PDB file of all heavy atoms in Angstrom:
ATOM      1  N   ILE A   1       8.998 -18.726 -16.536  1.00 86.00           N
ATOM      2  CA  ILE A   1       8.194 -17.812 -15.637  1.00 86.00           C
ATOM      3  C   ILE A   1       9.078 -16.612 -15.272  1.00 86.00           C
ATOM      4  O   ILE A   1      10.144 -16.727 -14.915  1.00 86.00           O
ATOM      5  CB  ILE A   1       7.740 -18.527 -14.426  1.00 86.00           C
ATOM      6  CG1 ILE A   1       6.735 -19.699 -14.793  1.00 86.00           C
ATOM      7  CG2 ILE A   1       6.999 -17.599 -13.460  1.00 86.00           C
ATOM      8  CD1 ILE A   1       6.365 -20.548 -13.606  1.00 86.00           C
ATOM      9  N   THR A   2       8.497 -15.461 -15.405  1.00 89.00           N
ATOM     10  CA  THR A   2       9.205 -14.275 -15.102  1.00 89.00           C
ATOM     11  C   THR A   2       8.404 -13.405 -14.117  1.00 89.00           C
ATOM     12  O   THR A   2       7.151 -13.446 -14.197  1.00 89.00           O
ATOM     13  CB  THR A   2       9.459 -13.423 -16.406  1.00 89.00           C
ATOM     14  OG1 THR A   2      10.133 -14.260 -17.324  1.00 89.00           O
ATOM     15  CG2 THR A   2      10.246 -12.171 -16.152  1.00 89.00           C
ATOM     16  N   TYR A   3       9.030 -12.703 -13.230  1.00 92.00           N
ATOM     17  CA  TYR A   3       8.378 -11.891 -12.269  1.00 92.00           C
ATOM     18  C   TYR A   3       8.822 -10.432 -12.504  1.00 92.00           C
ATOM     19  O   TYR A   3       9.948 -10.134 -12.682  1.00 92.00           O
ATOM     20  CB  TYR A   3       8.698 -12.288 -10.892  1.00 92.00           C
ATOM     21  CG  TYR A   3       8.239 -13.681 -10.458  1.00 92.00           C
ATOM     22  CD1 TYR A   3       9.082 -14.741 -10.670  1.00 92.00           C
ATOM     23  CD2 TYR A   3       6.998 -13.866 -10.043  1.00 92.00           C
ATOM     24  CE1 TYR A   3       8.671 -16.001 -10.423  1.00 92.00           C
ATOM     25  CE2 TYR A   3       6.501 -15.148  -9.766  1.00 92.00           C
ATOM     26  CZ  TYR A   3       7.340 -16.233  -9.928  1.00 92.00           C
ATOM     27  OH  TYR A   3       6.909 -17.533  -9.700  1.00 92.00           O
ATOM     28  N   VAL A   4       7.822  -9.576 -12.513  1.00 93.00           N
ATOM     29  CA  VAL A   4       8.084  -8.052 -12.683  1.00 93.00           C
ATOM     30  C   VAL A   4       7.677  -7.447 -11.405  1.00 93.00           C
ATOM     31  O   VAL A   4       6.504  -7.441 -10.992  1.00 93.00           O
ATOM     32  CB  VAL A   4       7.262  -7.502 -13.833  1.00 93.00           C
ATOM     33  CG1 VAL A   4       7.553  -6.025 -14.010  1.00 93.00           C
ATOM     34  CG2 VAL A   4       7.583  -8.278 -15.172  1.00 93.00           C
ATOM     35  N   GLU A   5       8.713  -6.932 -10.633  1.00 92.00           N
ATOM     36  CA  GLU A   5       8.451  -6.268  -9.314  1.00 92.00           C
ATOM     37  C   GLU A   5       8.115  -4.815  -9.547  1.00 92.00           C
ATOM     38  O   GLU A   5       8.783  -4.122 -10.280  1.00 92.00           O
ATOM     39  CB  GLU A   5       9.626  -6.463  -8.461  1.00 92.00           C
ATOM     40  CG  GLU A   5       9.363  -5.972  -7.019  1.00 92.00           C
ATOM     41  CD  GLU A   5      10.484  -6.238  -6.051  1.00 92.00           C
ATOM     42  OE1 GLU A   5      10.998  -7.440  -6.018  1.00 92.00           O
ATOM     43  OE2 GLU A   5      11.010  -5.350  -5.372  1.00 92.00           O
ATOM     44  N   MET A   6       7.050  -4.365  -8.878  1.00 92.00           N
ATOM     45  CA  MET A   6       6.699  -3.003  -8.980  1.00 92.00           C
ATOM     46  C   MET A   6       7.296  -2.235  -7.889  1.00 92.00           C
ATOM     47  O   MET A   6       7.818  -2.830  -6.895  1.00 92.00           O
ATOM     48  CB  MET A   6       5.139  -2.905  -8.863  1.00 92.00           C
ATOM     49  CG  MET A   6       4.389  -3.585  -9.954  1.00 92.00           C
ATOM     50  SD  MET A   6       2.636  -3.436  -9.765  1.00 92.00           S
ATOM     51  CE  MET A   6       2.370  -1.706 -10.031  1.00 92.00           C
ATOM     52  N   MET A   7       7.252  -0.911  -7.950  1.00 91.00           N
ATOM     53  CA  MET A   7       7.796  -0.029  -6.919  1.00 91.00           C
ATOM     54  C   MET A   7       6.826  -0.161  -5.764  1.00 91.00           C
ATOM     55  O   MET A   7       5.604  -0.478  -5.919  1.00 91.00           O
ATOM     56  CB  MET A   7       7.814   1.445  -7.364  1.00 91.00           C
ATOM     57  CG  MET A   7       8.779   1.678  -8.498  1.00 91.00           C
ATOM     58  SD  MET A   7      10.454   1.378  -8.007  1.00 91.00           S
ATOM     59  CE  MET A   7      10.724   2.757  -6.918  1.00 91.00           C
ATOM     60  N   PRO A   8       7.270   0.055  -4.476  1.00 91.00           N
ATOM     61  CA  PRO A   8       6.376   0.011  -3.400  1.00 91.00           C
ATOM     62  C   PRO A   8       5.193   0.956  -3.477  1.00 91.00           C
ATOM     63  O   PRO A   8       5.326   2.081  -3.977  1.00 91.00           O
ATOM     64  CB  PRO A   8       7.267   0.437  -2.174  1.00 91.00           C
ATOM     65  CG  PRO A   8       8.623   0.150  -2.645  1.00 91.00           C
ATOM     66  CD  PRO A   8       8.627   0.400  -4.123  1.00 91.00           C
ATOM     67  N   ILE A   9       4.001   0.486  -3.035  1.00 89.00           N
ATOM     68  CA  ILE A   9       2.811   1.325  -3.037  1.00 89.00           C
ATOM     69  C   ILE A   9       2.465   1.568  -1.610  1.00 89.00           C
ATOM     70  O   ILE A   9       2.461   0.730  -0.759  1.00 89.00           O
ATOM     71  CB  ILE A   9       1.622   0.525  -3.732  1.00 89.00           C
ATOM     72  CG1 ILE A   9       1.954   0.229  -5.116  1.00 89.00           C
ATOM     73  CG2 ILE A   9       0.310   1.278  -3.554  1.00 89.00           C
ATOM     74  CD1 ILE A   9       0.961  -0.759  -5.835  1.00 89.00           C
ATOM     75  N   ILE A  10       2.359   2.929  -1.300  1.00 87.00           N
ATOM     76  CA  ILE A  10       2.071   3.394   0.019  1.00 87.00           C
ATOM     77  C   ILE A  10       0.693   4.005   0.049  1.00 87.00           C
ATOM     78  O   ILE A  10       0.484   4.954  -0.794  1.00 87.00           O
ATOM     79  CB  ILE A  10       3.100   4.327   0.565  1.00 87.00           C
ATOM     80  CG1 ILE A  10       4.507   3.600   0.544  1.00 87.00           C
ATOM     81  CG2 ILE A  10       2.824   4.820   1.986  1.00 87.00           C
ATOM     82  CD1 ILE A  10       5.631   4.456   0.849  1.00 87.00           C
ATOM     83  N   LEU A  11      -0.189   3.543   0.864  1.00 84.00           N
ATOM     84  CA  LEU A  11      -1.546   3.962   0.848  1.00 84.00           C
ATOM     85  C   LEU A  11      -2.075   4.341   2.258  1.00 84.00           C
ATOM     86  O   LEU A  11      -2.026   3.516   3.189  1.00 84.00           O
ATOM     87  CB  LEU A  11      -2.387   2.801   0.285  1.00 84.00           C
ATOM     88  CG  LEU A  11      -3.833   3.007  -0.003  1.00 84.00           C
ATOM     89  CD1 LEU A  11      -4.046   3.942  -1.120  1.00 84.00           C
ATOM     90  CD2 LEU A  11      -4.429   1.683  -0.340  1.00 84.00           C
ATOM     91  N   PRO A  12      -2.537   5.550   2.442  1.00 81.00           N
ATOM     92  CA  PRO A  12      -3.069   5.905   3.761  1.00 81.00           C
ATOM     93  C   PRO A  12      -4.558   5.356   3.888  1.00 81.00           C
ATOM     94  O   PRO A  12      -5.278   5.421   2.877  1.00 81.00           O
ATOM     95  CB  PRO A  12      -3.112   7.439   3.788  1.00 81.00           C
ATOM     96  CG  PRO A  12      -3.235   7.792   2.311  1.00 81.00           C
ATOM     97  CD  PRO A  12      -2.521   6.709   1.534  1.00 81.00           C
ATOM     98  N   ILE A  13      -4.919   4.929   5.012  1.00 77.00           N
ATOM     99  CA  ILE A  13      -6.291   4.559   5.286  1.00 77.00           C
ATOM    100  C   ILE A  13      -6.928   5.713   6.143  1.00 77.00           C
ATOM    101  O   ILE A  13      -6.490   6.028   7.215  1.00 77.00           O
ATOM    102  CB  ILE A  13      -6.364   3.209   6.045  1.00 77.00           C
ATOM    103  CG1 ILE A  13      -5.657   2.086   5.341  1.00 77.00           C
ATOM    104  CG2 ILE A  13      -7.838   2.825   6.377  1.00 77.00           C
ATOM    105  CD1 ILE A  13      -6.158   1.816   3.948  1.00 77.00           C
ATOM    106  N   ILE A  14      -7.936   6.291   5.542  1.00 73.00           N
ATOM    107  CA  ILE A  14      -8.572   7.458   6.165  1.00 73.00           C
ATOM    108  C   ILE A  14      -9.894   7.150   6.699  1.00 73.00           C
ATOM    109  O   ILE A  14     -10.779   6.514   6.027  1.00 73.00           O
ATOM    110  CB  ILE A  14      -8.666   8.609   5.181  1.00 73.00           C
ATOM    111  CG1 ILE A  14      -7.227   8.925   4.650  1.00 73.00           C
ATOM    112  CG2 ILE A  14      -9.343   9.856   5.787  1.00 73.00           C
ATOM    113  CD1 ILE A  14      -7.237   9.932   3.561  1.00 73.00           C
ATOM    114  N   ASP A  15     -10.163   7.530   7.968  1.00 72.00           N
ATOM    115  CA  ASP A  15     -11.504   7.357   8.552  1.00 72.00           C
ATOM    116  C   ASP A  15     -11.973   8.685   9.079  1.00 72.00           C
ATOM    117  O   ASP A  15     -11.446   9.745   8.671  1.00 72.00           O
ATOM    118  CB  ASP A  15     -11.496   6.286   9.700  1.00 72.00           C
ATOM    119  CG  ASP A  15     -10.586   6.656  10.824  1.00 72.00           C
ATOM    120  OD1 ASP A  15     -10.118   7.818  10.912  1.00 72.00           O
ATOM    121  OD2 ASP A  15     -10.293   5.776  11.653  1.00 72.00           O
ATOM    122  N   ARG A  16     -13.031   8.711   9.904  1.00 74.00           N
ATOM    123  CA  ARG A  16     -13.623   9.981  10.375  1.00 74.00           C
ATOM    124  C   ARG A  16     -12.582  10.854  11.107  1.00 74.00           C
ATOM    125  O   ARG A  16     -12.700  12.077  11.103  1.00 74.00           O
ATOM    126  CB  ARG A  16     -14.747   9.685  11.329  1.00 74.00           C
ATOM    127  CG  ARG A  16     -15.981   9.235  10.594  1.00 74.00           C
ATOM    128  CD  ARG A  16     -17.075   8.992  11.521  1.00 74.00           C
ATOM    129  NE  ARG A  16     -17.151   7.532  11.725  1.00 74.00           N
ATOM    130  CZ  ARG A  16     -17.306   6.924  12.867  1.00 74.00           C
ATOM    131  NH1 ARG A  16     -17.456   7.641  13.966  1.00 74.00           N
ATOM    132  NH2 ARG A  16     -17.252   5.600  12.922  1.00 74.00           N
ATOM    133  N   ASP A  17     -11.621  10.235  11.759  1.00 75.00           N
ATOM    134  CA  ASP A  17     -10.642  10.950  12.602  1.00 75.00           C
ATOM    135  C   ASP A  17      -9.371  11.325  11.910  1.00 75.00           C
ATOM    136  O   ASP A  17      -8.416  11.825  12.390  1.00 75.00           O
ATOM    137  CB  ASP A  17     -10.308  10.162  13.823  1.00 75.00           C
ATOM    138  CG  ASP A  17     -11.511   9.809  14.664  1.00 75.00           C
ATOM    139  OD1 ASP A  17     -12.413  10.644  14.694  1.00 75.00           O
ATOM    140  OD2 ASP A  17     -11.531   8.721  15.223  1.00 75.00           O
ATOM    141  N   GLY A  18      -9.286  11.023  10.521  1.00 73.00           N
ATOM    142  CA  GLY A  18      -8.090  11.284   9.757  1.00 73.00           C
ATOM    143  C   GLY A  18      -7.384  10.000   9.370  1.00 73.00           C
ATOM    144  O   GLY A  18      -8.085   8.982   9.131  1.00 73.00           O
ATOM    145  N   ILE A  19      -6.070  10.036   9.275  1.00 75.00           N
ATOM    146  CA  ILE A  19      -5.348   8.806   8.859  1.00 75.00           C
ATOM    147  C   ILE A  19      -5.325   7.876  10.000  1.00 75.00           C
ATOM    148  O   ILE A  19      -4.647   8.160  11.027  1.00 75.00           O
ATOM    149  CB  ILE A  19      -3.960   9.150   8.307  1.00 75.00           C
ATOM    150  CG1 ILE A  19      -4.066  10.066   7.100  1.00 75.00           C
ATOM    151  CG2 ILE A  19      -3.146   7.937   8.022  1.00 75.00           C
ATOM    152  CD1 ILE A  19      -2.728  10.532   6.483  1.00 75.00           C
ATOM    153  N   SER A  20      -5.915   6.693   9.894  1.00 74.00           N
ATOM    154  CA  SER A  20      -5.908   5.686  10.947  1.00 74.00           C
ATOM    155  C   SER A  20      -4.699   4.768  10.909  1.00 74.00           C
ATOM    156  O   SER A  20      -4.165   4.286  11.853  1.00 74.00           O
ATOM    157  CB  SER A  20      -7.201   4.888  11.008  1.00 74.00           C
ATOM    158  OG  SER A  20      -7.334   4.196   9.744  1.00 74.00           O
ATOM    159  N   GLN A  21      -4.228   4.454   9.593  1.00 80.00           N
ATOM    160  CA  GLN A  21      -3.106   3.611   9.432  1.00 80.00           C
ATOM    161  C   GLN A  21      -2.550   3.788   8.008  1.00 80.00           C
ATOM    162  O   GLN A  21      -3.268   4.363   7.135  1.00 80.00           O
ATOM    163  CB  GLN A  21      -3.408   2.172   9.697  1.00 80.00           C
ATOM    164  CG  GLN A  21      -4.501   1.554   8.953  1.00 80.00           C
ATOM    165  CD  GLN A  21      -4.749   0.044   9.334  1.00 80.00           C
ATOM    166  OE1 GLN A  21      -3.734  -0.674   9.228  1.00 80.00           O
ATOM    167  NE2 GLN A  21      -5.878  -0.223   9.788  1.00 80.00           N
ATOM    168  N   THR A  22      -1.330   3.357   7.775  1.00 84.00           N
ATOM    169  CA  THR A  22      -0.685   3.430   6.488  1.00 84.00           C
ATOM    170  C   THR A  22      -0.310   1.991   6.048  1.00 84.00           C
ATOM    171  O   THR A  22       0.210   1.249   6.898  1.00 84.00           O
ATOM    172  CB  THR A  22       0.578   4.315   6.520  1.00 84.00           C
ATOM    173  OG1 THR A  22       0.181   5.594   6.990  1.00 84.00           O
ATOM    174  CG2 THR A  22       1.206   4.491   5.127  1.00 84.00           C
ATOM    175  N   ILE A  23      -0.669   1.711   4.807  1.00 85.00           N
ATOM    176  CA  ILE A  23      -0.312   0.350   4.285  1.00 85.00           C
ATOM    177  C   ILE A  23       0.744   0.492   3.264  1.00 85.00           C
ATOM    178  O   ILE A  23       0.642   1.381   2.351  1.00 85.00           O
ATOM    179  CB  ILE A  23      -1.591  -0.284   3.665  1.00 85.00           C
ATOM    180  CG1 ILE A  23      -2.635  -0.476   4.821  1.00 85.00           C
ATOM    181  CG2 ILE A  23      -1.279  -1.588   2.999  1.00 85.00           C
ATOM    182  CD1 ILE A  23      -3.945  -0.923   4.383  1.00 85.00           C
ATOM    183  N   SER A  24       1.728  -0.332   3.322  1.00 88.00           N
ATOM    184  CA  SER A  24       2.848  -0.380   2.328  1.00 88.00           C
ATOM    185  C   SER A  24       2.785  -1.780   1.757  1.00 88.00           C
ATOM    186  O   SER A  24       2.716  -2.815   2.474  1.00 88.00           O
ATOM    187  CB  SER A  24       4.132  -0.171   2.967  1.00 88.00           C
ATOM    188  OG  SER A  24       4.235   1.011   3.643  1.00 88.00           O
ATOM    189  N   MET A  25       2.876  -1.838   0.412  1.00 89.00           N
ATOM    190  CA  MET A  25       2.920  -3.199  -0.223  1.00 89.00           C
ATOM    191  C   MET A  25       3.838  -3.172  -1.402  1.00 89.00           C
ATOM    192  O   MET A  25       3.938  -2.176  -2.110  1.00 89.00           O
ATOM    193  CB  MET A  25       1.444  -3.673  -0.574  1.00 89.00           C
ATOM    194  CG  MET A  25       0.720  -2.887  -1.521  1.00 89.00           C
ATOM    195  SD  MET A  25      -0.909  -3.684  -1.706  1.00 89.00           S
ATOM    196  CE  MET A  25      -1.650  -2.469  -2.792  1.00 89.00           C
ATOM    197  N   VAL A  26       4.473  -4.323  -1.616  1.00 92.00           N
ATOM    198  CA  VAL A  26       5.312  -4.476  -2.883  1.00 92.00           C
ATOM    199  C   VAL A  26       4.677  -5.604  -3.625  1.00 92.00           C
ATOM    200  O   VAL A  26       4.438  -6.720  -3.050  1.00 92.00           O
ATOM    201  CB  VAL A  26       6.770  -4.793  -2.561  1.00 92.00           C
ATOM    202  CG1 VAL A  26       7.560  -5.041  -3.808  1.00 92.00           C
ATOM    203  CG2 VAL A  26       7.387  -3.631  -1.771  1.00 92.00           C
ATOM    204  N   VAL A  27       4.327  -5.398  -4.828  1.00 93.00           N
ATOM    205  CA  VAL A  27       3.622  -6.366  -5.697  1.00 93.00           C
ATOM    206  C   VAL A  27       4.557  -6.832  -6.797  1.00 93.00           C
ATOM    207  O   VAL A  27       5.231  -5.983  -7.427  1.00 93.00           O
ATOM    208  CB  VAL A  27       2.282  -5.728  -6.263  1.00 93.00           C
ATOM    209  CG1 VAL A  27       1.573  -6.741  -7.182  1.00 93.00           C
ATOM    210  CG2 VAL A  27       1.394  -5.304  -5.127  1.00 93.00           C
TER     211      VAL A  27
END
């Protein structure tokens, strides 16, 4: 079994008022 780690993914969550939060994930 081998694991391939991706670069971090940073994603803004946008609602009516603009960016409400930012999500960071490593997959």
Side-chain angles (χ1 to χ4, degrees):
I1 297 175
T2 305
Y3 297 93
V4 180
E5 186 173 310
M6 298 180 67
M7 296 295 292
I9 297 171
I10 299 171
L11 185 69
I13 305 300
I14 301 170
D15 60 13
R16 286 179 261 137
D17 301 326
I19 297 176
S20 62
Q21 57 181 302
T22 304
I23 296 173
S24 305
M25 63 181 175
V26 177
V27 177

